[in-house]
Amino acid sequence: ISTVDVYKEPNGKNEDSPMDTDGLLPYGANRLWLEEQVKEYIEGLKNAKSYDELRSIYLEHANREGEVGTMITIASIRNTVNTKDEFYEGEMTHIHQRLPKIGIIEKEADKVILESPFLEDFRAEFGDLLVKKMEYGLKLSSEAIVPNMIEESKLTQEYSKASASCT
């Protein structure tokens, strides 16, 4: 899920290009960190040896998602308050382009949980509703709709900015 934004010299690079992480600016380092966290989350779920381990990995990720959600909310508010701020405009553009793709990757983690030998323990603690949400999410997610989700996200942000400029 990384973009060329995590490269010191992005010219000629793509998501498969090798990366030198030494001296990366915070902007790129934070985006790279998010990518690594999602990969580690899925691998951790796959390698969990007990329900307690799976539960711990799930809760740690849920907490991290809350922190990322807060950062996204702050960026959105700042972009809405000042629609001409280039930094937050760039942040929101990046967010709108990446979140649908991250959502598809997150479904892989849901699939790991649903196929886990610890599913019934998970269901007992977190409830059938969460498990059903994961099941339905897998059925409804598809790489084919990512471009539409990106466009929807972009249009929603444009509407928010237009609304903010009217007040």
Side-chain angles (χ1 to χ4, degrees), residues 3-165:
T3 67
V4 294
D5 297 313
V6 299
Y7 294 95
K8 287 184 244 180
E9 270 303 315
N11 293 334
K13 300 282 186 357
N14 63 39
E15 292 181 356
D16 297 321
S17 300
M19 192 176 315
D20 177 15
T21 57
D22 290 334
L24 244 148
L25 296 173
Y27 185 66
N30 288 335
R31 289 185 180 183
L32 180 60
W33 174 84
L34 179 60
E35 175 181 345
E36 290 171 350
Q37 294 301 309
V38 173
K39 288 178 184 175
E40 287 177 18
Y41 171 55
I42 293 169
E43 285 306 308
L45 291 173
K46 286 179 180 177
N47 297 321
K49 304 282 188 244
S50 68
Y51 173 67
D52 286 339
E53 187 177 353
L54 182 127
R55 177 186 184 276
S56 176
I57 292 165
Y58 174 79
L59 290 174
E60 181 180 325
H61 181 73
N63 185 51
R64 201 174 307 119
E65 272 187 326
E67 292 171 5
V68 170
T70 299
M71 289 187 278
I72 290 170
T73 300
I74 290 169
S76 178
I77 290 168
R78 289 183 175 170
N79 182 241
T80 302
V81 169
N82 181 359
T83 59
K84 300 202 186 301
D85 185 312
E86 290 180 22
F87 175 79
Y88 287 108
E89 181 66 22
E91 282 295 284
M92 293 313 299
T93 298
H94 174 78
I95 288 166
H96 292 305
Q97 290 174 348
R98 303 314 295 171
L99 277 185
K101 294 175 184 177
I102 293 170
I104 296 292
I105 294 168
E106 291 272 345
K107 296 301 175 208
E108 183 181 336
D110 291 351
K111 183 177 180 188
V112 171
I113 292 171
L114 292 170
E115 294 175 351
S116 165
F118 313 115
L119 176 60
E120 291 311 312
D121 294 320
F122 187 88
R123 184 188 315 269
E125 181 170 352
F126 295 101
D128 195 49
L129 183 61
L130 178 58
V131 173
K132 291 279 187 210
K133 181 181 175 191
M134 289 175 165
E135 291 170 346
Y136 293 140
L138 282 174
K139 291 177 183 177
L140 296 172
S141 68
S142 168
E143 287 282 340
I145 64 171
V146 168
N148 293 336
M149 294 168 70
I150 291 170
E151 183 65 18
E152 175 190 23
S153 187
K154 183 177 124 187
L155 291 171
T156 300
Q157 183 63 19
E158 286 177 18
Y159 174 78
S160 293
K161 286 171 46 179
S163 297
S165 66

